[in-house]
Amino acid sequence: MQRPLEGIRILEVAQYTFVPAAAAVLADWGADITKVEHAVNGDAQRGLVRVLGYDANRPGSSFAPIMEGPNRSKRSIGIDLANPESRTVLTELVRRSDVFLTNYLPGLRTKLGLTLEEIRAINPDIIYVTGSGFGSEGPDANSGSFDATGFWARGGSADGLMPPDTEHMAFMPAGAYGDNIGGMTIAGGIAAAIAGRERTGEPSVVDVSLLGVGAWATQFTVNLALFTGGPLPKVRKKSAAAGNPLTGSYRTSDNRWLQFSMLQPTKFWNEFVTALGLEHLAGDSRFQTMESITEHSEEITGWFADAIASRPYDEWTAVLTNLSGPWAPVQNSWELGHDESLVANGRIVEVTDADGVPQKLVANPVKFDNSPVQMTRAPQFAEHTDDILRELGFDDERLIGLKIAGAVT
């Protein structure tokens, strides 16, 4: 089963990344995604030409990674949902869909006739899915959010990265960081809802909030705080874990970093110190137990730091290639995009953009039956309106009428 959601139809009425990213994952898994965009403005994300200091696209190129990532393998139809003439189109789209997926706020859903009751009146078997900022219940159910606020700031990740007395708040390591994690979560929820409907015949109502995803991501410390009865104390983090110098990060001579995570230091001690060129520590009776390593951890950490600081990053990655203990180079985004394991497992996928130019995108992390992901570029704005309307049974005369009325584009 290379594409387990083959034949499942998803109707996406959403914009930006959080919810569209969920549909992108479902498309990777075989689902047929119809993306509804505003008939004039399209997905608001199309207007973001500069994000976090980076150009979102290149002059003369149709390929904009900020749109391609969460919208690959979809078809786009432009609909003015506020125009009464568009209702017949929406009705037919809902009627033929298995899942209705949106991030519109409750007030706008009511205004546009997209509430659960109205969608279920058209298709009683449809799975109704919302991606929200703070959940479908509670005081903030009607409030919007981006991942920087709902997931990162309020969800605990920012605080978890900030040392005591910091002068700057820690920001997300990448644009749409929480959105993409949240999108993957929504996709999992939809897959479970599809399985549940198949088994019981009952369609689900699914909601995933950025705040909930944030709390899940930080649950280790949230659970500890709830257990201990208050906020966890702020500690200034060191490069190595307390008591275990084989678990931590060390800087190379050219200011790159290596991360080690050998939770059983005695198991890897001799191999590790030998790899670092500290052969004289192999078999040293002072460091044969966890207790003795913990007792001398600060001194050992200094030895390790000095050793790793003596050579550049590329030399260390070559030296440590066959090390049996868990470790990893700290990679930048360019290196990650060329990571041999990602490439070998088909997680970096080539697509052809609208100009016929080969481009690359990151695939979702789930692989089925060791098969490659079948992926196509993101649609241009309202690229498939005519095709979709004809599939819905609208003839050319009716299609032209809808366009003249401004219901579709």
PDB file of all heavy atoms in Angstrom, residues 13-14 19 81 87 90 100-119 128-133 135-137 141-143 205-207:
ATOM      1  N   VAL A  13     -10.225  24.510   2.727  1.00  0.00           N
ATOM      2  CA  VAL A  13     -10.595  25.926   2.710  1.00  0.00           C
ATOM      3  C   VAL A  13      -9.724  26.592   3.770  1.00  0.00           C
ATOM      4  O   VAL A  13     -10.120  26.750   4.929  1.00  0.00           O
ATOM      5  CB  VAL A  13     -12.095  26.129   3.001  1.00  0.00           C
ATOM      6  CG1 VAL A  13     -12.460  27.611   2.908  1.00  0.00           C
ATOM      7  CG2 VAL A  13     -12.948  25.321   2.030  1.00  0.00           C
ATOM      8  N   ALA A  14      -8.520  26.929   3.381  1.00  0.00           N
ATOM      9  CA  ALA A  14      -7.532  27.378   4.352  1.00  0.00           C
ATOM     10  C   ALA A  14      -6.430  28.167   3.656  1.00  0.00           C
ATOM     11  O   ALA A  14      -6.319  28.150   2.424  1.00  0.00           O
ATOM     12  CB  ALA A  14      -6.924  26.176   5.090  1.00  0.00           C
ATOM     13  N   VAL A  19      -2.690  24.605   8.431  1.00  0.00           N
ATOM     14  CA  VAL A  19      -3.656  23.639   7.896  1.00  0.00           C
ATOM     15  C   VAL A  19      -3.289  23.178   6.484  1.00  0.00           C
ATOM     16  O   VAL A  19      -3.370  21.980   6.189  1.00  0.00           O
ATOM     17  CB  VAL A  19      -5.083  24.218   7.978  1.00  0.00           C
ATOM     18  CG1 VAL A  19      -6.055  23.387   7.155  1.00  0.00           C
ATOM     19  CG2 VAL A  19      -5.534  24.262   9.439  1.00  0.00           C
ATOM     20  N   LEU A  81     -16.464  32.809  -1.715  1.00  0.00           N
ATOM     21  CA  LEU A  81     -17.451  32.129  -0.879  1.00  0.00           C
ATOM     22  C   LEU A  81     -18.511  33.077  -0.340  1.00  0.00           C
ATOM     23  O   LEU A  81     -19.570  32.626   0.106  1.00  0.00           O
ATOM     24  CB  LEU A  81     -16.745  31.409   0.269  1.00  0.00           C
ATOM     25  CG  LEU A  81     -15.841  30.237  -0.140  1.00  0.00           C
ATOM     26  CD1 LEU A  81     -15.058  29.727   1.056  1.00  0.00           C
ATOM     27  CD2 LEU A  81     -16.662  29.122  -0.763  1.00  0.00           C
ATOM     28  N   ARG A  87     -22.462  29.257  -4.128  1.00  0.00           N
ATOM     29  CA  ARG A  87     -22.920  28.200  -3.219  1.00  0.00           C
ATOM     30  C   ARG A  87     -23.109  26.872  -3.926  1.00  0.00           C
ATOM     31  O   ARG A  87     -22.837  25.807  -3.348  1.00  0.00           O
ATOM     32  CB  ARG A  87     -24.228  28.630  -2.553  1.00  0.00           C
ATOM     33  CG  ARG A  87     -24.613  27.758  -1.347  1.00  0.00           C
ATOM     34  CD  ARG A  87     -23.622  27.931  -0.219  1.00  0.00           C
ATOM     35  NE  ARG A  87     -23.865  27.010   0.886  1.00  0.00           N
ATOM     36  CZ  ARG A  87     -23.151  26.969   2.004  1.00  0.00           C
ATOM     37  NH1 ARG A  87     -22.143  27.819   2.157  1.00  0.00           N
ATOM     38  NH2 ARG A  87     -23.414  26.103   2.951  1.00  0.00           N
ATOM     39  N   LEU A  90     -19.662  25.252  -4.109  1.00  0.00           N
ATOM     40  CA  LEU A  90     -19.243  24.737  -2.815  1.00  0.00           C
ATOM     41  C   LEU A  90     -20.024  23.485  -2.451  1.00  0.00           C
ATOM     42  O   LEU A  90     -19.464  22.501  -1.958  1.00  0.00           O
ATOM     43  CB  LEU A  90     -19.415  25.801  -1.734  1.00  0.00           C
ATOM     44  CG  LEU A  90     -19.051  25.335  -0.319  1.00  0.00           C
ATOM     45  CD1 LEU A  90     -17.549  25.137  -0.193  1.00  0.00           C
ATOM     46  CD2 LEU A  90     -19.546  26.325   0.729  1.00  0.00           C
ATOM     47  N   PHE A 100     -13.628  17.792   5.105  1.00  0.00           N
ATOM     48  CA  PHE A 100     -13.647  19.245   4.980  1.00  0.00           C
ATOM     49  C   PHE A 100     -12.621  19.792   5.961  1.00  0.00           C
ATOM     50  O   PHE A 100     -12.705  19.531   7.168  1.00  0.00           O
ATOM     51  CB  PHE A 100     -15.029  19.810   5.292  1.00  0.00           C
ATOM     52  CG  PHE A 100     -15.099  21.309   5.239  1.00  0.00           C
ATOM     53  CD1 PHE A 100     -15.196  21.974   4.025  1.00  0.00           C
ATOM     54  CD2 PHE A 100     -15.053  22.056   6.406  1.00  0.00           C
ATOM     55  CE1 PHE A 100     -15.248  23.362   3.979  1.00  0.00           C
ATOM     56  CE2 PHE A 100     -15.109  23.442   6.367  1.00  0.00           C
ATOM     57  CZ  PHE A 100     -15.206  24.098   5.142  1.00  0.00           C
ATOM     58  N   LEU A 101     -11.659  20.547   5.464  1.00  0.00           N
ATOM     59  CA  LEU A 101     -10.510  20.975   6.263  1.00  0.00           C
ATOM     60  C   LEU A 101     -10.381  22.490   6.181  1.00  0.00           C
ATOM     61  O   LEU A 101     -10.278  23.054   5.085  1.00  0.00           O
ATOM     62  CB  LEU A 101      -9.246  20.296   5.719  1.00  0.00           C
ATOM     63  CG  LEU A 101      -7.884  20.678   6.284  1.00  0.00           C
ATOM     64  CD1 LEU A 101      -7.813  20.364   7.773  1.00  0.00           C
ATOM     65  CD2 LEU A 101      -6.787  19.936   5.529  1.00  0.00           C
ATOM     66  N   THR A 102     -10.367  23.169   7.334  1.00  0.00           N
ATOM     67  CA  THR A 102     -10.325  24.626   7.322  1.00  0.00           C
ATOM     68  C   THR A 102      -9.565  25.177   8.525  1.00  0.00           C
ATOM     69  O   THR A 102      -9.453  24.508   9.559  1.00  0.00           O
ATOM     70  CB  THR A 102     -11.749  25.215   7.303  1.00  0.00           C
ATOM     71  OG1 THR A 102     -11.679  26.632   7.124  1.00  0.00           O
ATOM     72  CG2 THR A 102     -12.489  24.910   8.599  1.00  0.00           C
ATOM     73  N   ASN A 103      -9.062  26.412   8.378  1.00  0.00           N
ATOM     74  CA  ASN A 103      -8.535  27.149   9.527  1.00  0.00           C
ATOM     75  C   ASN A 103      -9.257  28.484   9.688  1.00  0.00           C
ATOM     76  O   ASN A 103      -8.776  29.370  10.387  1.00  0.00           O
ATOM     77  CB  ASN A 103      -7.019  27.364   9.419  1.00  0.00           C
ATOM     78  CG  ASN A 103      -6.614  28.161   8.194  1.00  0.00           C
ATOM     79  OD1 ASN A 103      -7.440  28.597   7.390  1.00  0.00           O
ATOM     80  ND2 ASN A 103      -5.314  28.368   8.023  1.00  0.00           N
ATOM     81  N   TYR A 104     -10.414  28.628   9.029  1.00  0.00           N
ATOM     82  CA  TYR A 104     -11.200  29.843   9.203  1.00  0.00           C
ATOM     83  C   TYR A 104     -11.747  29.888  10.634  1.00  0.00           C
ATOM     84  O   TYR A 104     -12.149  28.864  11.194  1.00  0.00           O
ATOM     85  CB  TYR A 104     -12.353  29.877   8.211  1.00  0.00           C
ATOM     86  CG  TYR A 104     -11.947  30.255   6.796  1.00  0.00           C
ATOM     87  CD1 TYR A 104     -10.612  30.200   6.374  1.00  0.00           C
ATOM     88  CD2 TYR A 104     -12.897  30.658   5.875  1.00  0.00           C
ATOM     89  CE1 TYR A 104     -10.255  30.544   5.085  1.00  0.00           C
ATOM     90  CE2 TYR A 104     -12.548  31.010   4.569  1.00  0.00           C
ATOM     91  CZ  TYR A 104     -11.222  30.947   4.181  1.00  0.00           C
ATOM     92  OH  TYR A 104     -10.864  31.285   2.905  1.00  0.00           O
ATOM     93  N   LEU A 105     -11.790  31.081  11.202  1.00  0.00           N
ATOM     94  CA  LEU A 105     -12.296  31.248  12.560  1.00  0.00           C
ATOM     95  C   LEU A 105     -13.816  31.037  12.592  1.00  0.00           C
ATOM     96  O   LEU A 105     -14.498  31.169  11.572  1.00  0.00           O
ATOM     97  CB  LEU A 105     -11.954  32.636  13.072  1.00  0.00           C
ATOM     98  CG  LEU A 105     -10.458  32.886  13.340  1.00  0.00           C
ATOM     99  CD1 LEU A 105     -10.208  34.354  13.644  1.00  0.00           C
ATOM    100  CD2 LEU A 105      -9.973  32.011  14.484  1.00  0.00           C
ATOM    101  N   PRO A 106     -14.368  30.718  13.760  1.00  0.00           N
ATOM    102  CA  PRO A 106     -15.800  30.416  13.851  1.00  0.00           C
ATOM    103  C   PRO A 106     -16.692  31.507  13.273  1.00  0.00           C
ATOM    104  O   PRO A 106     -17.691  31.197  12.603  1.00  0.00           O
ATOM    105  CB  PRO A 106     -16.016  30.248  15.360  1.00  0.00           C
ATOM    106  CG  PRO A 106     -14.701  29.767  15.869  1.00  0.00           C
ATOM    107  CD  PRO A 106     -13.666  30.475  15.040  1.00  0.00           C
ATOM    108  N   GLY A 107     -16.373  32.766  13.535  1.00  0.00           N
ATOM    109  CA  GLY A 107     -17.196  33.851  13.020  1.00  0.00           C
ATOM    110  C   GLY A 107     -17.249  33.882  11.508  1.00  0.00           C
ATOM    111  O   GLY A 107     -18.325  34.071  10.910  1.00  0.00           O
ATOM    112  N   LEU A 108     -16.106  33.681  10.870  1.00  0.00           N
ATOM    113  CA  LEU A 108     -16.068  33.680   9.417  1.00  0.00           C
ATOM    114  C   LEU A 108     -16.737  32.434   8.851  1.00  0.00           C
ATOM    115  O   LEU A 108     -17.421  32.507   7.820  1.00  0.00           O
ATOM    116  CB  LEU A 108     -14.622  33.771   8.928  1.00  0.00           C
ATOM    117  CG  LEU A 108     -14.418  33.878   7.418  1.00  0.00           C
ATOM    118  CD1 LEU A 108     -15.176  35.075   6.854  1.00  0.00           C
ATOM    119  CD2 LEU A 108     -12.932  33.957   7.075  1.00  0.00           C
ATOM    120  N   ARG A 109     -16.587  31.316   9.524  1.00  0.00           N
ATOM    121  CA  ARG A 109     -17.264  30.103   9.060  1.00  0.00           C
ATOM    122  C   ARG A 109     -18.781  30.290   9.092  1.00  0.00           C
ATOM    123  O   ARG A 109     -19.493  29.844   8.192  1.00  0.00           O
ATOM    124  CB  ARG A 109     -16.848  28.899   9.918  1.00  0.00           C
ATOM    125  CG  ARG A 109     -15.376  28.549   9.812  1.00  0.00           C
ATOM    126  CD  ARG A 109     -15.104  27.103  10.148  1.00  0.00           C
ATOM    127  NE  ARG A 109     -15.532  26.674  11.454  1.00  0.00           N
ATOM    128  CZ  ARG A 109     -14.799  26.750  12.559  1.00  0.00           C
ATOM    129  NH1 ARG A 109     -13.576  27.283  12.505  1.00  0.00           N
ATOM    130  NH2 ARG A 109     -15.260  26.312  13.703  1.00  0.00           N
ATOM    131  N   THR A 110     -19.274  30.954  10.124  1.00  0.00           N
ATOM    132  CA  THR A 110     -20.712  31.238  10.207  1.00  0.00           C
ATOM    133  C   THR A 110     -21.141  32.172   9.083  1.00  0.00           C
ATOM    134  O   THR A 110     -22.161  31.942   8.419  1.00  0.00           O
ATOM    135  CB  THR A 110     -21.047  31.866  11.571  1.00  0.00           C
ATOM    136  OG1 THR A 110     -20.730  30.938  12.609  1.00  0.00           O
ATOM    137  CG2 THR A 110     -22.520  32.229  11.658  1.00  0.00           C
ATOM    138  N   LYS A 111     -20.352  33.218   8.854  1.00  0.00           N
ATOM    139  CA  LYS A 111     -20.686  34.200   7.820  1.00  0.00           C
ATOM    140  C   LYS A 111     -20.739  33.562   6.437  1.00  0.00           C
ATOM    141  O   LYS A 111     -21.596  33.907   5.611  1.00  0.00           O
ATOM    142  CB  LYS A 111     -19.663  35.326   7.853  1.00  0.00           C
ATOM    143  CG  LYS A 111     -19.867  36.410   6.806  1.00  0.00           C
ATOM    144  CD  LYS A 111     -18.791  37.476   6.910  1.00  0.00           C
ATOM    145  CE  LYS A 111     -18.968  38.535   5.818  1.00  0.00           C
ATOM    146  NZ  LYS A 111     -17.904  39.578   5.898  1.00  0.00           N
ATOM    147  N   LEU A 112     -19.827  32.623   6.185  1.00  0.00           N
ATOM    148  CA  LEU A 112     -19.719  32.025   4.855  1.00  0.00           C
ATOM    149  C   LEU A 112     -20.508  30.729   4.698  1.00  0.00           C
ATOM    150  O   LEU A 112     -20.464  30.100   3.646  1.00  0.00           O
ATOM    151  CB  LEU A 112     -18.244  31.761   4.528  1.00  0.00           C
ATOM    152  CG  LEU A 112     -17.342  32.995   4.450  1.00  0.00           C
ATOM    153  CD1 LEU A 112     -15.895  32.580   4.198  1.00  0.00           C
ATOM    154  CD2 LEU A 112     -17.820  33.960   3.360  1.00  0.00           C
ATOM    155  N   GLY A 113     -21.206  30.326   5.751  1.00  0.00           N
ATOM    156  CA  GLY A 113     -21.987  29.097   5.663  1.00  0.00           C
ATOM    157  C   GLY A 113     -21.135  27.845   5.680  1.00  0.00           C
ATOM    158  O   GLY A 113     -21.442  26.860   4.990  1.00  0.00           O
ATOM    159  N   LEU A 114     -20.081  27.874   6.492  1.00  0.00           N
ATOM    160  CA  LEU A 114     -19.147  26.746   6.551  1.00  0.00           C
ATOM    161  C   LEU A 114     -19.166  26.048   7.912  1.00  0.00           C
ATOM    162  O   LEU A 114     -18.211  25.356   8.264  1.00  0.00           O
ATOM    163  CB  LEU A 114     -17.721  27.232   6.254  1.00  0.00           C
ATOM    164  CG  LEU A 114     -17.503  27.952   4.930  1.00  0.00           C
ATOM    165  CD1 LEU A 114     -16.060  28.444   4.826  1.00  0.00           C
ATOM    166  CD2 LEU A 114     -17.838  27.039   3.754  1.00  0.00           C
ATOM    167  N   THR A 115     -20.210  26.258   8.694  1.00  0.00           N
ATOM    168  CA  THR A 115     -20.278  25.615  10.003  1.00  0.00           C
ATOM    169  C   THR A 115     -20.450  24.110   9.855  1.00  0.00           C
ATOM    170  O   THR A 115     -20.825  23.605   8.785  1.00  0.00           O
ATOM    171  CB  THR A 115     -21.452  26.166  10.820  1.00  0.00           C
ATOM    172  OG1 THR A 115     -22.676  25.827  10.153  1.00  0.00           O
ATOM    173  CG2 THR A 115     -21.360  27.679  10.974  1.00  0.00           C
ATOM    174  N   LEU A 116     -20.210  23.412  10.932  1.00  0.00           N
ATOM    175  CA  LEU A 116     -20.371  21.958  10.929  1.00  0.00           C
ATOM    176  C   LEU A 116     -21.777  21.571  10.476  1.00  0.00           C
ATOM    177  O   LEU A 116     -21.938  20.674   9.635  1.00  0.00           O
ATOM    178  CB  LEU A 116     -20.111  21.407  12.335  1.00  0.00           C
ATOM    179  CG  LEU A 116     -20.466  19.934  12.565  1.00  0.00           C
ATOM    180  CD1 LEU A 116     -19.596  19.024  11.718  1.00  0.00           C
ATOM    181  CD2 LEU A 116     -20.332  19.591  14.056  1.00  0.00           C
ATOM    182  N   GLU A 117     -22.774  22.240  11.004  1.00  0.00           N
ATOM    183  CA  GLU A 117     -24.154  21.894  10.695  1.00  0.00           C
ATOM    184  C   GLU A 117     -24.454  22.109   9.208  1.00  0.00           C
ATOM    185  O   GLU A 117     -25.124  21.286   8.565  1.00  0.00           O
ATOM    186  CB  GLU A 117     -25.107  22.732  11.549  1.00  0.00           C
ATOM    187  CG  GLU A 117     -25.076  22.424  13.040  1.00  0.00           C
ATOM    188  CD  GLU A 117     -23.820  22.944  13.730  1.00  0.00           C
ATOM    189  OE1 GLU A 117     -23.167  23.879  13.190  1.00  0.00           O
ATOM    190  OE2 GLU A 117     -23.484  22.415  14.810  1.00  0.00           O
ATOM    191  N   GLU A 118     -23.942  23.204   8.651  1.00  0.00           N
ATOM    192  CA  GLU A 118     -24.212  23.500   7.247  1.00  0.00           C
ATOM    193  C   GLU A 118     -23.463  22.555   6.302  1.00  0.00           C
ATOM    194  O   GLU A 118     -24.001  22.131   5.273  1.00  0.00           O
ATOM    195  CB  GLU A 118     -23.849  24.958   6.957  1.00  0.00           C
ATOM    196  CG  GLU A 118     -24.817  25.954   7.619  1.00  0.00           C
ATOM    197  CD  GLU A 118     -24.269  27.359   7.656  1.00  0.00           C
ATOM    198  OE1 GLU A 118     -23.166  27.557   8.204  1.00  0.00           O
ATOM    199  OE2 GLU A 118     -24.942  28.273   7.151  1.00  0.00           O
ATOM    200  N   ILE A 119     -22.241  22.224   6.658  1.00  0.00           N
ATOM    201  CA  ILE A 119     -21.476  21.289   5.825  1.00  0.00           C
ATOM    202  C   ILE A 119     -22.059  19.889   5.924  1.00  0.00           C
ATOM    203  O   ILE A 119     -22.221  19.182   4.916  1.00  0.00           O
ATOM    204  CB  ILE A 119     -19.989  21.296   6.240  1.00  0.00           C
ATOM    205  CG1 ILE A 119     -19.353  22.666   5.974  1.00  0.00           C
ATOM    206  CG2 ILE A 119     -19.222  20.201   5.504  1.00  0.00           C
ATOM    207  CD1 ILE A 119     -19.365  23.096   4.524  1.00  0.00           C
ATOM    208  N   TYR A 128     -15.205  16.560   9.528  1.00  0.00           N
ATOM    209  CA  TYR A 128     -15.086  18.020   9.631  1.00  0.00           C
ATOM    210  C   TYR A 128     -13.874  18.349  10.498  1.00  0.00           C
ATOM    211  O   TYR A 128     -13.807  17.951  11.669  1.00  0.00           O
ATOM    212  CB  TYR A 128     -16.355  18.582  10.251  1.00  0.00           C
ATOM    213  CG  TYR A 128     -16.482  20.087  10.231  1.00  0.00           C
ATOM    214  CD1 TYR A 128     -17.086  20.739   9.165  1.00  0.00           C
ATOM    215  CD2 TYR A 128     -16.030  20.864  11.295  1.00  0.00           C
ATOM    216  CE1 TYR A 128     -17.240  22.127   9.149  1.00  0.00           C
ATOM    217  CE2 TYR A 128     -16.172  22.239  11.294  1.00  0.00           C
ATOM    218  CZ  TYR A 128     -16.776  22.871  10.214  1.00  0.00           C
ATOM    219  OH  TYR A 128     -16.918  24.238  10.206  1.00  0.00           O
ATOM    220  N   VAL A 129     -12.907  19.058   9.918  1.00  0.00           N
ATOM    221  CA  VAL A 129     -11.617  19.256  10.593  1.00  0.00           C
ATOM    222  C   VAL A 129     -11.269  20.737  10.638  1.00  0.00           C
ATOM    223  O   VAL A 129     -11.315  21.427   9.617  1.00  0.00           O
ATOM    224  CB  VAL A 129     -10.485  18.500   9.865  1.00  0.00           C
ATOM    225  CG1 VAL A 129      -9.177  18.619  10.639  1.00  0.00           C
ATOM    226  CG2 VAL A 129     -10.862  17.034   9.667  1.00  0.00           C
ATOM    227  N   THR A 130     -10.908  21.212  11.823  1.00  0.00           N
ATOM    228  CA  THR A 130     -10.433  22.578  11.979  1.00  0.00           C
ATOM    229  C   THR A 130      -9.045  22.588  12.596  1.00  0.00           C
ATOM    230  O   THR A 130      -8.743  21.813  13.490  1.00  0.00           O
ATOM    231  CB  THR A 130     -11.379  23.405  12.865  1.00  0.00           C
ATOM    232  OG1 THR A 130     -11.561  22.742  14.119  1.00  0.00           O
ATOM    233  CG2 THR A 130     -12.724  23.600  12.196  1.00  0.00           C
ATOM    234  N   GLY A 131      -8.222  23.493  12.092  1.00  0.00           N
ATOM    235  CA  GLY A 131      -6.955  23.802  12.734  1.00  0.00           C
ATOM    236  C   GLY A 131      -7.126  25.150  13.400  1.00  0.00           C
ATOM    237  O   GLY A 131      -7.438  26.145  12.736  1.00  0.00           O
ATOM    238  N   SER A 132      -6.972  25.195  14.705  1.00  0.00           N
ATOM    239  CA  SER A 132      -7.266  26.417  15.459  1.00  0.00           C
ATOM    240  C   SER A 132      -6.031  26.902  16.199  1.00  0.00           C
ATOM    241  O   SER A 132      -5.028  26.198  16.300  1.00  0.00           O
ATOM    242  CB  SER A 132      -8.404  26.159  16.451  1.00  0.00           C
ATOM    243  OG  SER A 132      -8.037  25.167  17.392  1.00  0.00           O
ATOM    244  N   GLY A 133      -6.143  28.116  16.731  1.00  0.00           N
ATOM    245  CA  GLY A 133      -5.040  28.637  17.526  1.00  0.00           C
ATOM    246  C   GLY A 133      -5.034  28.060  18.924  1.00  0.00           C
ATOM    247  O   GLY A 133      -4.002  27.629  19.431  1.00  0.00           O
ATOM    248  N   GLY A 135      -7.901  26.004  20.311  1.00  0.00           N
ATOM    249  CA  GLY A 135      -8.896  24.979  20.567  1.00  0.00           C
ATOM    250  C   GLY A 135     -10.302  25.458  20.258  1.00  0.00           C
ATOM    251  O   GLY A 135     -10.575  26.657  20.162  1.00  0.00           O
ATOM    252  N   SER A 136     -11.204  24.513  20.105  1.00  0.00           N
ATOM    253  CA  SER A 136     -12.582  24.820  19.729  1.00  0.00           C
ATOM    254  C   SER A 136     -13.444  25.215  20.920  1.00  0.00           C
ATOM    255  O   SER A 136     -14.583  25.646  20.751  1.00  0.00           O
ATOM    256  CB  SER A 136     -13.211  23.616  19.026  1.00  0.00           C
ATOM    257  OG  SER A 136     -13.181  22.472  19.879  1.00  0.00           O
ATOM    258  N   GLU A 137     -12.925  25.082  22.111  1.00  0.00           N
ATOM    259  CA  GLU A 137     -13.648  25.449  23.325  1.00  0.00           C
ATOM    260  C   GLU A 137     -12.807  26.448  24.127  1.00  0.00           C
ATOM    261  O   GLU A 137     -11.628  26.641  23.881  1.00  0.00           O
ATOM    262  CB  GLU A 137     -13.925  24.206  24.186  1.00  0.00           C
ATOM    263  CG  GLU A 137     -14.613  23.060  23.477  1.00  0.00           C
ATOM    264  CD  GLU A 137     -16.038  23.378  23.075  1.00  0.00           C
ATOM    265  OE1 GLU A 137     -16.657  24.238  23.737  1.00  0.00           O
ATOM    266  OE2 GLU A 137     -16.528  22.784  22.095  1.00  0.00           O
ATOM    267  N   ALA A 141     -11.466  30.525  21.864  1.00  0.00           N
ATOM    268  CA  ALA A 141     -11.899  29.735  20.703  1.00  0.00           C
ATOM    269  C   ALA A 141     -12.102  30.594  19.464  1.00  0.00           C
ATOM    270  O   ALA A 141     -11.970  30.109  18.344  1.00  0.00           O
ATOM    271  CB  ALA A 141     -13.191  28.981  21.042  1.00  0.00           C
ATOM    272  N   ASN A 142     -12.410  31.869  19.641  1.00  0.00           N
ATOM    273  CA  ASN A 142     -12.650  32.752  18.507  1.00  0.00           C
ATOM    274  C   ASN A 142     -11.431  33.595  18.146  1.00  0.00           C
ATOM    275  O   ASN A 142     -11.527  34.484  17.292  1.00  0.00           O
ATOM    276  CB  ASN A 142     -13.832  33.678  18.800  1.00  0.00           C
ATOM    277  CG  ASN A 142     -15.140  32.924  18.906  1.00  0.00           C
ATOM    278  OD1 ASN A 142     -15.524  32.204  17.993  1.00  0.00           O
ATOM    279  ND2 ASN A 142     -15.830  33.062  20.024  1.00  0.00           N
ATOM    280  N   SER A 143     -10.304  33.327  18.783  1.00  0.00           N
ATOM    281  CA  SER A 143      -9.091  34.118  18.547  1.00  0.00           C
ATOM    282  C   SER A 143      -8.173  33.403  17.565  1.00  0.00           C
ATOM    283  O   SER A 143      -7.979  32.188  17.646  1.00  0.00           O
ATOM    284  CB  SER A 143      -8.343  34.350  19.865  1.00  0.00           C
ATOM    285  OG  SER A 143      -9.144  35.078  20.770  1.00  0.00           O
ATOM    286  N   VAL A 205     -15.571  14.844  14.157  1.00  0.00           N
ATOM    287  CA  VAL A 205     -15.228  16.260  14.140  1.00  0.00           C
ATOM    288  C   VAL A 205     -13.861  16.370  14.810  1.00  0.00           C
ATOM    289  O   VAL A 205     -13.684  15.944  15.953  1.00  0.00           O
ATOM    290  CB  VAL A 205     -16.263  17.113  14.899  1.00  0.00           C
ATOM    291  CG1 VAL A 205     -15.833  18.581  14.918  1.00  0.00           C
ATOM    292  CG2 VAL A 205     -17.641  16.962  14.270  1.00  0.00           C
ATOM    293  N   VAL A 206     -12.897  16.886  14.098  1.00  0.00           N
ATOM    294  CA  VAL A 206     -11.505  16.907  14.566  1.00  0.00           C
ATOM    295  C   VAL A 206     -11.032  18.345  14.718  1.00  0.00           C
ATOM    296  O   VAL A 206     -11.269  19.176  13.845  1.00  0.00           O
ATOM    297  CB  VAL A 206     -10.581  16.162  13.570  1.00  0.00           C
ATOM    298  CG1 VAL A 206      -9.135  16.192  14.046  1.00  0.00           C
ATOM    299  CG2 VAL A 206     -11.054  14.728  13.362  1.00  0.00           C
ATOM    300  N   ASP A 207     -10.382  18.648  15.823  1.00  0.00           N
ATOM    301  CA  ASP A 207      -9.740  19.954  15.981  1.00  0.00           C
ATOM    302  C   ASP A 207      -8.344  19.755  16.535  1.00  0.00           C
ATOM    303  O   ASP A 207      -8.134  18.979  17.476  1.00  0.00           O
ATOM    304  CB  ASP A 207     -10.522  20.863  16.921  1.00  0.00           C
ATOM    305  CG  ASP A 207      -9.809  22.197  17.136  1.00  0.00           C
ATOM    306  OD1 ASP A 207      -9.833  23.032  16.211  1.00  0.00           O
ATOM    307  OD2 ASP A 207      -9.203  22.402  18.211  1.00  0.00           O
TER     308      ASP A 207
END
